Amino acid sequence: MTKIEMAHGAGGRIMQRLLQEVIIPSFSIRKLGSIGLDEMDDGATLPIGNTGLIVTADAHTVQPLFFPGGNIGTLAACGTINDLAVMGAAPTAMTNTIIVEEGFEIDTLHEIVRSMNDVIEPLGTAMIAGDTKVMPKGTLDGLVMSTTGIGVLYLNAAIADAGVREGDDIIVTGPIGDHGTALLAHREGLKFETNLASDVAPLWEPIRNCLDVSGFHIHAMKDPTRGGLAVALNEFAAKSHVEIEIEDGLVPVRPAVQSLCDILGLSPFHIACEGRAIMAVDSSVTSDVLDTLARFRTTDNACVIGKAHKGASRVLMKTAIGGRKVLQVPLGEPVPRVC
Amino acid sequence: MTKIEMAHGAGGRIMQRLLQEVIIPSFSIRKLGSIGLDEMDDGATLPIGNTGLIVTADAHTVQPLFFPGGNIGTLAACGTINDLAVMGAAPTAMTNTIIVEEGFEIDTLHEIVRSMNDVIEPLGTAMIAGDTKVMPKGTLDGLVMSTTGIGVLYLNAAIADAGVREGDDIIVTGPIGDHGTALLAHREGLKFETNLASDVAPLWEPIRNCLDVSGFHIHAMKDPTRGGLAVALNEFAAKSHVEIEIEDGLVPVRPAVQSLCDILGLSPFHIACEGRAIMAVDSSVTSDVLDTLARFRTTDNACVIGKAHKGASRVLMKTAIGGRKVLQVPLGEPVPRVC
């Protein structure tokens, strides 16, 4: 394969290969703290004096720019906040670059940046730097953005994907697959699914409250974006050297999401979320964490979906009839330009 | 004007209006230290504990991706390093996001990221986080990137555009307009100008050495990118409330740059550089700074081009025959997709 394919940006195995074989090894200095490029976590650690920072970067190419539940501005802000949050960092500052096509409506641009502010202002996050570039008509489909988030570690320790321990409960903070299926339905004009909306939301407030009640007993967190829950759980398993077993029937999936997936032959486990987190927590704090998540509208359907235990670095799924199958990393996210 | 035009991204007055009227006021929290979005400086300050950080963000849309003297990777790395350097910060860490078109050659992508590393590795700058997205064929012209740089203040004080003082000497570190004209000539296939090449280069090493010899006597620095020397000098004058008078005959311009500008009716003062800085320095350190800059290949043609003094916030240019004219901020950069 010598040319870029859509799957190279889609979060699955093909993207992992591109990053591991081409992009990451091109850089000589790849970390300053314990977590950098090689770890392929949600962000990197940056120790400054006695303060532990987390830095995260995302490009945003979602299409269409406006969708049920938000727009590219909402998505860029939430994606950045959530990458910091699942590393255990408060969202301190952000940068944002905008590349926009000649002829784009300025009012639409205005609405997009205001939507970013609607997400970050209540969290006290400062937008401190940015850049705006214009490309000639026909050379860019509308508008893309890139954000970098800088956060201060809340408990002065980064929460890494590699932190899952044997015996941990695996929690998901809400139903999976809403974002990707909402985009797909909206994009394809599937009007029969009227109640599908993106789950895009910032998760720092519920996560901060969980850290308050459980301290260092939250061992790992991740937001299941591109490639969905299947990718996120497999990263936990691979980096933490544990086997994760989840129960199919425990994973919350909205009926509208499930039926759209059934029609199109997709699995909700492979569909991106933009307002969900998975957590691996010590079983001594599971009920405290669930009680805390239940207090927030964006996480009030949180539940335990499985457990980590000693075993091969893989994810097993127990089906309704008692069988077990391996939940694979998909080749890519089945819905393109989802984030 | 209700739609985005090319000039909205071109560094001049039309871009300044878009930023000041649409983008910047959309955000509620715009700084954490003394310099943030409103200051429209090369970067923002971010105080973390006792450490002063500078954060800068840039989008890169240069076309063509490869040009005499470098490629988009060289440019992205140098632009980020230089924005940190002119704020007085050592380049500690970077993030990079890549958005690439389906069908792009992976070898070309590889060369671009290796070129970034060639710039940052010798400076000890770590690439700590990133993201890669793919857009379907026909929705993006090749590849764009966005970088964020995080630097630690070298003298624990940010060097702001607003720092120019009356009596300061104005230094430019080399000939102006090389980058923009090299791109233009290459793009248009103007083969008669064979010796035009971009000036793209990282400036942290010469600037660090200047800070070593002159301490706090370097009052302001800026890299004249979009909109060229005219924009950079006018920002000095406007933000520092001084009049800057430069002498036309003192500003270094290569003959090839001048003749291309003459043919096309352009002014070298409006053309982007990517490896130059302007400095406002206390006259007591001018010769030390010039001696230092002379030791580095990328700055060995540095010279004084004028002086700041009390007066209206404007830039005056003394012509060869002794007249004075106001050097205006252009409406935009005359060469599109230059950076």
Side-chain angles (χ1 to χ4, degrees):
Chain A
M1 223 175 314
T2 60
K3 287 181 194 288
I4 290 288
E5 302 177 7
M6 288 305 295
H8 282 112
R13 273 182 287 153
I14 294 175
M15 183 177 93
Q16 284 171 1
R17 265 193 60 186
L18 177 73
L19 299 182
Q20 284 167 341
E21 293 176 10
V22 177
I23 307 230
I24 294 173
S26 295
F27 294 103
S28 306
I29 312 173
R30 300 195 287 264
K31 68 170 78 173
L32 289 170
S34 57
I35 304 173
L37 281 190
D38 294 287
E39 285 69 24
M40 296 176 70
D41 211 313
D42 300 283
T45 52
L46 176 62
I48 296 291
N50 295 319
T51 309
L53 297 181
I54 296 291
V55 179
T56 180
D58 282 295
H60 310 282
T61 61
V62 66
Q63 197 277 325
L65 296 173
F66 287 75
F67 49 82
N71 62 53
I72 190 172
T74 330
L75 195 65
C78 291
T80 304
I81 298 295
N82 292 348
D83 280 344
L84 295 175
V86 296
M87 302 286 293
T92 307
M94 270 182 74
T95 70
N96 181 40
T97 68
I98 299 168
I99 307 177
V100 57
E101 185 183 18
E102 183 186 16
F104 196 84
E105 289 289 341
I106 292 177
D107 284 348
T108 309
L109 173 62
H110 205 164
E111 191 174 343
I112 289 167
V113 286
R114 277 193 297 233
S115 299
M116 296 188 85
N117 188 59
D118 290 343
V119 173
I120 65 175
E121 182 188 5
L123 301 171
T125 310
M127 179 64 75
I128 59 173
D131 191 18
T132 303
K133 292 273 161 72
V134 180
M135 285 172 66
K137 206 164 179 58
T139 64
L140 173 69
D141 179 17
L143 177 146
V144 295
M145 304 206 297
S146 285
T147 45
T148 285
I150 303 173
V152 175
L153 285 174
Y154 190 65
L155 299 177
N156 214 21
I159 300 174
D161 293 347
V164 186
R165 301 186 200 173
E166 294 164 18
D168 280 355
D169 283 324
I170 306 296
I171 292 172
V172 65
T173 65
I176 62 166
D178 292 15
H179 176 73
T181 49
L183 259 174
L184 190 62
H186 180 62
R187 203 188 284 163
E188 307 296 331
L190 303 179
K191 301 287 188 223
F192 60 95
E193 294 296 359
T194 51
N195 56 349
L196 277 172
S198 170
D199 52 275
V200 64
L203 294 174
W204 173 237
E205 281 304 319
I207 285 176
R208 182 175 64 77
N209 279 269
C210 288
L211 293 170
D212 281 339
V213 298
S214 62
F216 295 104
H217 294 301
I218 296 180
H219 295 148
M221 284 192 278
K222 196 156 196 70
D223 56 336
T225 57
R226 281 178 286 178
L229 191 68
V231 163
L233 289 172
N234 272 283
E235 294 206 20
F236 269 6
K239 295 177 190 174
S240 300
H241 309 293
V242 293
E243 187 170 81
I244 291 175
E245 185 168 303
I246 61 167
E247 231 172 285
D248 195 4
L250 295 179
V251 179
V253 182
R254 293 190 202 281
V257 170
Q258 187 64 59
S259 64
L260 184 68
C261 283
D262 289 344
I263 291 167
L264 298 174
L266 301 172
S267 162
F269 288 84
H270 295 164
I271 308 279
C273 311
E274 288 291 341
R276 305 291 175 225
I278 57 169
M279 301 177 167
V281 307
D282 193 283
S283 56
S284 66
V285 300
T286 301
S287 65
D288 287 342
V289 167
L290 289 176
D291 289 349
T292 303
L293 292 171
R295 292 197 286 115
F296 295 87
R297 190 188 54 76
T298 50
T299 55
D300 60 1
N301 286 307
C303 60
V304 173
I305 58 170
K307 239 179 150 50
H309 50 67
K310 196 178 169 73
S313 297
R314 62 179 180 174
V315 181
L316 293 180
M317 188 159 69
K318 215 157 97 184
T319 58
I321 52 164
R324 276 182 178 72
K325 63 176 185 182
V326 175
L327 187 63
Q328 302 275 8
V329 178
L331 285 171
E333 158 76 36
V335 189
R337 286 185 74 184
V338 78
C339 59
Chain B
M1 219 174 313
T2 59
K3 286 182 193 288
I4 291 288
E5 301 177 6
M6 288 306 295
H8 282 112
R13 274 183 286 153
I14 293 175
M15 184 178 92
Q16 284 171 2
R17 267 194 59 187
L18 177 72
L19 298 183
Q20 285 167 341
E21 294 176 10
V22 176
I23 308 234
I24 294 174
S26 294
F27 293 103
S28 305
I29 311 172
R30 300 195 286 264
K31 67 169 77 173
L32 288 171
S34 56
I35 304 173
L37 281 190
D38 295 285
E39 286 67 26
M40 294 175 71
D41 211 313
D42 300 283
T45 53
L46 176 61
I48 296 290
N50 295 318
T51 309
L53 297 181
I54 295 290
V55 179
T56 181
D58 282 295
H60 311 281
T61 61
V62 66
Q63 198 277 325
L65 296 173
F66 287 74
F67 49 81
N71 62 53
I72 189 172
T74 331
L75 195 64
C78 291
T80 304
I81 298 294
N82 293 346
D83 280 343
L84 295 175
V86 296
M87 302 286 293
T92 307
M94 271 183 74
T95 69
N96 181 41
T97 68
I98 300 167
I99 306 176
V100 57
E101 185 183 19
E102 182 185 17
F104 196 86
E105 287 289 341
I106 292 178
D107 284 349
T108 309
L109 173 61
H110 206 163
E111 190 172 345
I112 288 167
V113 287
R114 275 193 298 232
S115 298
M116 297 189 84
N117 188 60
D118 290 342
V119 173
I120 66 176
E121 182 187 4
L123 301 170
T125 309
M127 180 64 75
I128 59 172
D131 190 17
T132 303
K133 291 271 161 74
V134 180
M135 285 172 66
K137 204 162 181 62
T139 64
L140 172 70
D141 180 16
L143 176 146
V144 296
M145 302 205 297
S146 285
T147 45
T148 284
I150 303 172
V152 175
L153 285 174
Y154 190 65
L155 299 178
N156 215 21
I159 300 175
D161 294 347
V164 186
R165 301 186 199 172
E166 295 164 17
D168 280 355
D169 283 325
I170 306 296
I171 291 172
V172 65
T173 64
I176 62 166
D178 292 15
H179 177 71
T181 49
L183 260 176
L184 190 62
H186 181 61
R187 205 186 285 164
E188 307 297 332
L190 303 177
K191 300 286 190 225
F192 60 94
E193 294 296 358
T194 50
N195 57 350
L196 277 173
S198 171
D199 52 276
V200 64
L203 295 173
W204 172 239
E205 280 303 318
I207 285 175
R208 183 175 65 78
N209 280 270
C210 288
L211 293 171
D212 282 338
V213 298
S214 62
F216 295 104
H217 294 300
I218 297 180
H219 296 147
M221 285 193 278
K222 196 155 195 70
D223 55 335
T225 56
R226 282 178 286 178
L229 192 67
V231 162
L233 289 172
N234 271 283
E235 293 207 19
F236 268 6
K239 295 178 188 173
S240 300
H241 309 292
V242 294
E243 187 169 81
I244 291 175
E245 185 168 304
I246 62 166
E247 232 172 285
D248 194 3
L250 295 179
V251 179
V253 181
R254 292 190 202 280
V257 170
Q258 188 63 59
S259 63
L260 184 67
C261 284
D262 289 345
I263 292 167
L264 299 175
L266 301 173
S267 162
F269 288 84
H270 295 164
I271 308 279
C273 311
E274 288 292 341
R276 307 292 176 221
I278 58 169
M279 300 175 167
V281 308
D282 193 283
S283 58
S284 66
V285 300
T286 302
S287 65
D288 287 341
V289 168
L290 290 175
D291 288 349
T292 303
L293 292 171
R295 290 197 286 114
F296 295 87
R297 191 189 53 77
T298 51
T299 56
D300 60 0
N301 285 307
C303 60
V304 173
I305 58 170
K307 238 179 150 53
H309 50 67
K310 197 179 168 73
S313 297
R314 61 180 182 176
V315 182
L316 293 177
M317 187 160 69
K318 214 157 99 183
T319 59
I321 53 167
R324 275 180 181 73
K325 63 175 184 182
V326 175
L327 186 63
Q328 303 276 7
V329 179
L331 284 173
E333 157 77 36
V335 188
R337 287 186 71 182
V338 78
C339 60

